[in-house]
């Protein structure tokens, strides 16, 4: 039962031990430890990092592994192809760690993709590469001949830069008959030798003795150093100097100025004269300490002679001897502890830096990784980091003295394309010191801006009858993005089933071209939509309205509606017509617009120029004076209609005016004209001509009606201008209403023609009756009808 109880009690201990082993293994997996003997050759093997981390060498190269040593000097090199860590130079432990029992060099292994840091250390193992060395090759001791046996004389200690078993281990003295060697160990473990007088000295027998002192270290094989001890036998000086303290401990700030008194040592000698006068001197002082301190041999004052640096050496030890005039000496130790002063600003070292980041990067994206190191200690070495200015970035502390620079908000390249981030590291000392490091981050462009047209509506003008593919203007859209995301291409927006447009847009420049010749009379304006698309993925686009207005050109001549026909029209004017009597009205239209359609009328030719006048703007033909009996019965007028285009275009029309006494006369007797020789043949010619004219008129009327119908259908689809009449029958304009427009046929020759051309059934007024007498005119009309 007791055995079972012990077994059950041991199980919890086994579980705890297993958990401790797991924790130790996990913590060890995050750091690498190696050792390397000092004085090894350059590129000596330190360790296989890939093997120790369980990674393939190709992974090291793929993740951009690199090694950064602590401090400014890089002591190690990593081969990414093999994963082997080597020393760049031969390491000297005594130079790297002059005052440390152990010498450990720290390094950091950085990985990218993903970011990872692994701490490592390399212990530099001491080898026996230094022999013990005495500060002086010859030590002179002056000993009174009265010195009693058993007296002890401390000897200067040899120095060995090695550590441990390779350091100084033993002293030995050459064979002699007066002295022996006693080796002692101080409280701090240092060994020193004392010369012991075994037998009285006799100056008369031997005034000077030469002894050989050998110091040996514990290396394999051991190394040694020697010094000569020259003993001068003096006459009686039976008192040696005595220090009031064996060890002087002093605390001193590192910024103490030169000349500052560190300590004052004092040794007394009860002897008189030269045997009682004490002189001070350094005996065992390192080279660095000897350059920092001065000792006054008379007063024993130790003062600062150089610049103390806490970061280089935190403690200085000096051995001081006091010698009297009789050659007796005593030793004491002076220990100076250097106190830290905030004289070092923090140092910022970038470990990883991303030079650019996309503008759509999410917040807390890592941009840079850096470390902050302050050589001071305590609060003087405690640091904090901040970012100067208002930038969308923040600092996040990680392990140790490393910080991550992350984004804190959304970025916009169009607002800020580049950030120059100033990182400030400040320590907690008094006064507080700081340093800065600039990190430049460029923002990648992302296609987050659609093209924007400079106008929502573009109005362009083009003159009709243009040449095909003529440039009429351009559209312009800009994209706030950069690179291919800002490269804009243009295209017309065509709906499904829409016919081929009359315009074209250059995809690169945005220039607008007319594909074919445009006609103002058929198409005055057209409107299309233009799309601008950028080169991003996915592409963004915008649209604008393009309105093209056709400018009129004077490409249409005036068309005379009245009088129509090639031979003109006939007008009847009574002989009693006064001045200003309205004879006819010339009506013309122009298919152009604006100034190109402004018409003016003028008489180009007249049988009697002074009888008629033509209004230049209205086209009204009136009598310029009262009709006289002497005036010819027939007049032929040529009217010229001209527009105001450049160059101007014109058309002409012919008017035949007959002066009659009565409108109901069946014919006009022209007695002054001789009758034709063959009236029957002339009449036959007239009939043939009339039939030909009627046939031609019927054919022309049919063709005109067909063309008008086709043009009307086409203009209904294209929304054209109103159709201008091309014949007198299509217009209601004229000098008189349609019922009062007369077609007069007059026959020349004898009055006994077989054919009579009857005029229209119109009222005829007697000569001398004023047209305004309505009652008389009505009765006359009734008589005529009867």
């Amino acid at each position: 039962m007791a055995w079972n109880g012990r077994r059950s009690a041991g199980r919890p201990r086994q579980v705890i031990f297993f958990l401790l082993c797991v924790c130790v293994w996990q913590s060890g997996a995050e750091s690498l430890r190696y050792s390397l003997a000092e004085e090894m050759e350059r590129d000596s093997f330190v360790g296989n990092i890939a093997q120790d981390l369980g990674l393939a060498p190709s992974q090291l190269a793929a993740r951009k592994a690199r090694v950064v040593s602590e401090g400014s000097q890089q002591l190690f090199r990593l081969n990414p192809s093999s994963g082997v860590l080597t020393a760049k130079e031969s390491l000297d432990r005594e130079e790297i760690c002059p005052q440390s029992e152990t010498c450990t060099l720290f390094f950091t292994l950085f990985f990218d993709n993903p970011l990872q840091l692994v701490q490592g250390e390399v212990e530099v193992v001491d080898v026996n590469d230094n022999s013990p060395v005495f500060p002086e090759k010859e030590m002179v001791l002056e000993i009174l001949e009265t010195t009693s046996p058993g007296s002890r004389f401390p000897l200067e200690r040899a120095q060995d830069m090695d550590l441990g078993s390779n350091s100084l281990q033993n002293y030995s003295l050459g064979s002699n008959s007066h002295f022996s060697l006693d080796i002692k160990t101080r409280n701090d473990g240092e060994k020193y030798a004392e010369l012991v007088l075994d037998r009285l000295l006799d100056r008369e027998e031997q005034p000077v003795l030469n002894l050989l002192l050998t110091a040996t270290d514990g290396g394999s094989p051991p190394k040694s150093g020697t010094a000569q001890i020259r003993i001068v036998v003096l006459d009686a000086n039976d008192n040696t100097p005595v220090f009031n303290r064996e060890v002087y401990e002093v605390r001193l700030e590192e910024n103490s100025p030169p000349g500052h008194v560190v300590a004052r040592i004092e040794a007394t000698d009860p002897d008189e004269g030269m045997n009682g006068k004490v002189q001070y001197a350094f005996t065992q002082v390192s080279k660095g300490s000897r350059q920092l301190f001065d000792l006054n041999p008379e007063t024993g004052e130790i003062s600062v002679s150089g610049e103390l640096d806490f970061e280089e050496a935190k403690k200085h030890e000096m051995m001081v001897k006091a010698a009297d005039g009789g050659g007796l000496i005593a030793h004491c130790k002076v220990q100076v502890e250097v106190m830290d002063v905030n004289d070092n600003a923090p140092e910022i070292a970038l470990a990883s830096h991303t030079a650019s980041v996309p503008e759509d990067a999410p917040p807390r994206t890592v941009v840079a990784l850096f470390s902050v190191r302050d050589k001071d200690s305590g609060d003087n070495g405690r640091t904090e980091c901040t970012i100067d200015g208002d930038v969308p970035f923040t600092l996040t502390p990680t392990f140790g003295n490393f910080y991550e620079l992350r984004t804190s908000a959304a970025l916009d390249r169009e607002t800020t394309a580049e950030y120059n981030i100033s990182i400030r590291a400040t320590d907690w000392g008094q006064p507080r010191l700081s340093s800065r490091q600039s990190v430049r981050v460029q923002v990648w462009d992302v296609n987050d801006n659609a093209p924007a047209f400079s106008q929502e509506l573009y109005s362009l003008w083009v003159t009709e009858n243009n040449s095909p593919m003529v440039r009429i203007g351009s559209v312009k859209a800009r994209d706030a993005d950069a690179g291919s995301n800002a490269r804009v291409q243009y295209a017309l927006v065509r709906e499904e089933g829409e016919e081929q447009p009359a315009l074209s847009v250059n995809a690169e420049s945005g220039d607008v071209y007319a594909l074919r010749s445009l006609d103002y009379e058929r198409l005055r304006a057209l409107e299309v939509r233009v799309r601008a698309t950028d080169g991003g993925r996915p592409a963004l686009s915008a649209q604008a309205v393009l309105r093209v207005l056709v400018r009129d050109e004077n490409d249409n001549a005036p068309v005379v509606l009245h009088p129509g026909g090639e031979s003109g029209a006939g007008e009847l004017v009574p002989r009693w017509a006064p001045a200003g009597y309205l004879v006819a009205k010339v009506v013309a239209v122009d298919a152009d617009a604006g100034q190109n359609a402004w018409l003016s009328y003028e008489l180009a030719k007249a049988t009697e120029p002074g009888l008629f006048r033509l209004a230049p703007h209205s086209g009204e033909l009136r009598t310029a004076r009262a009709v006289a009996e002497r005036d010819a019965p027939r007049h032929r007028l040529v009217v010229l209609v001209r527009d105001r285009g450049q160059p101007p275009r014109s058309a002409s029309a012919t008017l035949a005016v007959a002066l009659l006494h009565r409108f109901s006369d069946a014919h006009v007797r022209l007695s002054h004209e001789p009758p034709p020789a063959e009236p029957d043949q002339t009449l036959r010619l007239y009939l043939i001509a009339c039939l030909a004219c009627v046939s031609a008129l019927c054919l022309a009327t049919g063709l005109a009606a067909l063309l008008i119908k086709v043009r009307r259908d086409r203009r209904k689809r294209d929304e054209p201008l109103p159709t201008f009449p091309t014949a007198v029958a299509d217009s209601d304009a004229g000098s008189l209403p349609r019922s009062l427009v007369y077609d007069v046929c007059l026959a020349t020759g004898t009055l006994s023609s077989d054919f009579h051309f009857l005029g229209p059934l119109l009222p005829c007024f007697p000569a001398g009756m004023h047209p305004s007498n309505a009652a008389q005119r009505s009765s006359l009309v009734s008589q005529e009808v009867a």
Side-chain angles (χ1 to χ4, degrees):
M1 294 296 293
W3 180 81
N4 292 334
R6 288 194 300 270
R7 184 176 63 181
S8 62
R11 289 178 179 174
R13 289 197 296 271
Q14 294 177 356
V15 173
I16 294 174
F17 179 75
F18 175 77
L19 294 176
L20 288 175
C21 291
V22 171
C23 293
V24 170
W25 176 79
Q26 290 181 350
S27 64
E30 297 178 357
S31 63
L32 302 171
R33 292 184 175 87
Y34 302 99
S35 62
L36 178 67
E38 67 170 337
E39 302 297 337
M40 294 293 290
E41 295 180 357
R42 182 179 179 181
D43 295 330
S44 297
F45 175 84
V46 178
N48 193 324
I49 290 181
Q51 181 178 354
D52 296 338
L53 294 179
L55 300 174
S58 59
Q59 291 181 300
L60 295 180
R63 296 181 62 183
K64 299 180 180 178
R66 60 191 183 280
V67 170
V68 179
S69 300
E70 187 177 54
S72 59
Q73 186 177 6
Q74 302 298 317
L75 302 176
F76 304 100
R77 180 186 291 113
L78 175 63
N79 189 343
S81 61
S82 62
V84 173
L85 181 68
T86 58
K88 296 178 66 175
E89 303 290 343
S90 178
L91 303 180
D92 188 358
R93 187 203 65 80
E94 288 75 21
E95 181 181 354
I96 298 174
C97 309
Q99 296 181 352
S100 300
E101 291 292 333
T102 59
C103 185
T104 304
L105 302 178
F106 297 91
F107 66 91
T108 305
L109 179 64
F110 293 88
F111 290 93
D112 291 338
N113 300 321
L115 182 63
Q116 182 182 359
L117 286 83
V118 178
Q119 296 287 345
E121 59 186 49
V122 177
E123 180 182 3
V124 181
V125 180
D126 182 59
V127 297
N128 190 25
D129 59 337
N130 292 282
S131 300
V133 177
F134 288 93
E136 296 178 0
K137 291 298 183 180
E138 184 180 28
M139 292 180 286
V140 179
L141 296 178
E142 296 179 349
I143 303 175
L144 289 173
E145 61 180 351
T146 59
T147 303
S148 60
S151 297
R152 295 176 176 268
F153 304 95
L155 301 176
E156 291 188 9
R157 186 175 65 90
Q159 295 181 354
D160 195 338
M161 301 299 292
D162 298 324
L163 297 176
S165 61
N166 296 326
S167 64
L168 180 65
Q169 298 294 327
N170 195 14
Y171 292 92
S172 61
L173 188 65
S175 62
N176 65 91
S177 59
H178 291 86
F179 294 92
S180 63
L181 199 63
D182 187 12
I183 301 173
K184 292 186 177 182
T185 304
R186 295 182 182 272
N187 295 334
D188 55 2
E190 294 181 358
K191 292 183 179 183
Y192 64 97
E194 291 182 348
L195 192 64
V196 181
L197 181 62
D198 294 335
R199 189 167 64 90
L200 284 174
L201 298 173
D202 187 0
R203 179 180 175 277
E204 288 71 20
E205 180 182 355
Q206 190 177 4
V208 178
L209 286 80
N210 290 317
L211 305 177
L212 181 63
L213 179 63
T214 303
T216 309
D217 61 18
S220 179
K223 294 186 177 183
S224 61
T226 60
Q228 290 288 333
I229 302 176
R230 185 182 179 204
I231 299 174
V232 179
V233 182
L234 302 176
D235 286 338
N237 181 21
D238 55 352
N239 290 290
T240 59
V242 176
F243 284 97
N244 56 1
R245 282 187 292 176
E246 184 180 355
V247 178
Y248 290 84
E249 294 181 351
V250 181
R251 302 184 68 186
L252 186 65
E253 291 185 347
E254 62 175 327
N255 61 351
S256 299
H260 178 77
V261 177
V262 178
R264 185 189 298 272
I265 60 175
E266 185 179 358
T268 59
D269 193 323
D271 294 328
E272 292 182 356
M274 292 299 296
N275 294 331
K277 186 178 181 180
V278 180
Q279 295 283 331
Y280 303 94
F282 286 127
T283 58
Q284 298 179 8
V285 183
S286 64
K287 182 179 178 181
S289 299
R290 188 177 294 275
Q291 295 176 351
L292 297 175
F293 300 97
D294 280 341
L295 175 61
N296 191 320
E298 301 293 335
T299 62
E301 282 187 353
I302 300 177
S303 59
V304 178
S305 63
E307 294 183 359
L308 299 176
D309 192 353
F310 172 83
E311 289 71 38
E312 291 185 1
K314 300 177 177 60
K315 184 181 293 185
H316 297 274
E317 291 185 358
M318 297 166 285
M319 293 297 294
V320 180
K321 71 176 181 179
D324 60 15
L328 299 180
I329 61 174
H331 293 82
C332 73
K333 179 184 288 188
V334 179
Q335 293 181 347
V336 180
E337 181 182 356
V338 182
M339 299 174 61
D340 182 45
V341 175
N342 190 28
D343 59 343
N344 291 282
E347 298 177 358
I348 302 175
L350 284 176
S352 178
H353 175 213
T354 302
S356 57
V357 62
E359 61 178 320
D360 61 348
R364 298 190 60 77
T365 299
V366 178
V367 177
L369 178 67
F370 62 92
S371 62
V372 179
R373 177 175 174 265
D374 197 315
K375 295 180 181 180
D376 297 320
S377 61
D379 285 344
N380 295 332
R382 184 180 175 186
T383 60
E384 63 180 11
C385 286
T386 56
I387 297 178
D388 294 342
D390 185 14
V391 292
F393 295 89
T394 185
L395 293 176
T396 303
T398 58
F399 64 90
N401 58 346
F402 282 88
Y403 292 84
E404 289 180 343
L405 178 64
R406 296 173 177 264
T407 59
S408 61
L411 304 178
D412 187 7
R413 190 206 64 83
E414 290 69 39
T415 302
T416 306
E418 184 179 36
Y419 291 93
N420 193 7
I421 306 168
S422 179
I423 301 174
R424 181 197 297 269
T426 309
D427 60 24
W428 287 49
Q430 292 296 331
R432 303 188 70 175
L433 302 178
S434 63
S435 61
R436 293 185 181 182
Q437 176 70 40
S438 295
V439 177
R440 180 168 294 179
V441 178
Q442 291 184 342
V443 182
W444 287 353
D445 182 56
V446 175
N447 191 27
D448 56 348
N449 290 278
F453 281 96
S454 57
Q455 301 172 217
E456 294 183 359
L457 174 63
Y458 290 87
S459 296
L460 304 179
W461 290 86
V462 59
T463 304
E464 65 172 331
N465 303 319
N466 56 281
S467 301
M469 293 305 296
V470 66
R471 181 182 179 277
I472 61 176
S474 65
V475 296
K476 192 66 177 179
R478 297 187 180 275
D479 198 309
D481 295 321
S484 61
N485 296 331
R487 189 173 64 186
V488 179
Q489 290 192 338
Y490 306 90
L492 292 179
V493 179
R494 294 182 58 187
E495 298 181 359
E496 186 177 357
E498 186 179 0
E499 64 178 2
Q500 182 69 25
L503 303 177
S504 174
V505 177
N506 188 288
E508 299 295 335
S509 63
D511 292 338
V512 181
Y513 295 88
L515 297 179
R516 60 176 182 268
S517 178
L518 301 178
D519 188 1
Y520 174 82
E521 288 71 38
R522 298 187 57 189
L523 183 65
R524 295 192 177 185
L526 59 93
E527 188 173 287
V528 295
R529 300 188 70 84
V530 182
R531 178 187 291 113
T533 307
D534 59 25
R537 295 192 180 276
L540 302 178
S541 62
Q543 293 187 11
V545 177
L546 175 62
R547 179 178 298 166
V548 177
L549 304 175
V550 182
R551 186 182 291 109
D552 182 49
E553 189 179 45
N554 192 25
D555 58 343
N556 291 279
V559 176
V560 179
L561 303 181
H562 179 79
E566 296 181 357
S567 60
E571 299 292 340
L572 300 180
V573 177
R575 287 281 184 175
W576 48 261
Y581 180 82
L582 179 63
V583 178
K585 183 176 183 180
V586 179
V587 179
V589 294
D590 196 316
D592 295 322
Q595 184 175 344
N596 297 329
W598 295 353
L599 302 180
S600 61
Y601 305 86
E602 61 177 305
L603 277 176
K605 186 177 180 181
T607 305
E608 187 173 346
L611 180 59
F612 301 97
R613 62 180 174 85
L614 183 65
H617 301 295
S618 62
E620 292 181 349
L621 180 66
R622 297 179 180 270
T623 56
R625 56 178 175 78
V627 179
E629 289 295 335
R630 66 179 181 273
D631 292 328
R634 281 191 314 174
H635 296 270
R636 185 178 182 84
L637 307 176
V638 177
V639 178
L640 181 65
V641 182
R642 181 184 291 110
D643 59 25
R644 296 190 181 180
Q646 293 297 330
R649 293 177 176 269
S650 61
S652 61
T654 302
L655 278 175
V657 179
L659 301 180
L660 301 177
H661 289 283
R662 295 175 59 88
F663 285 177
S664 59
D665 289 347
H667 51 82
V668 178
R669 299 180 181 180
L670 300 176
S671 58
H672 59 280
E673 293 184 2
E678 298 179 359
D680 294 340
Q681 185 177 1
T682 302
L683 182 60
R684 189 178 301 109
L685 292 176
Y686 281 153
L687 288 177
I688 294 173
C690 288
L691 289 176
C693 289
V694 170
S695 300
L697 182 61
C698 291
L699 181 59
T701 302
L703 291 176
L706 181 60
L707 291 176
I708 290 173
K709 179 174 179 58
V710 172
R711 291 185 64 184
R712 283 180 179 177
D713 292 341
R714 185 177 301 171
R715 289 176 182 178
K716 285 180 181 180
R717 291 195 302 268
D718 298 340
E719 298 182 359
L721 293 173
T723 303
F724 294 98
T726 57
V728 178
D730 296 333
S731 175
D732 294 334
S735 61
L736 296 174
R738 186 67 182 93
S739 59
L740 297 180
V741 175
Y742 305 103
D743 294 330
V744 180
C745 297
L746 299 177
T748 59
T750 62
L751 297 178
S752 59
S753 299
D754 296 334
F755 296 91
H756 298 278
F757 297 93
L758 297 179
L761 188 61
L762 294 175
C764 296
F765 302 105
M769 180 179 291
H770 196 274
S772 62
N773 195 337
Q776 296 180 8
R777 287 161 55 187
S778 299
S779 60
L780 290 175
V781 169
S782 299
Q783 294 175 5
E784 288 290 337
V785 170

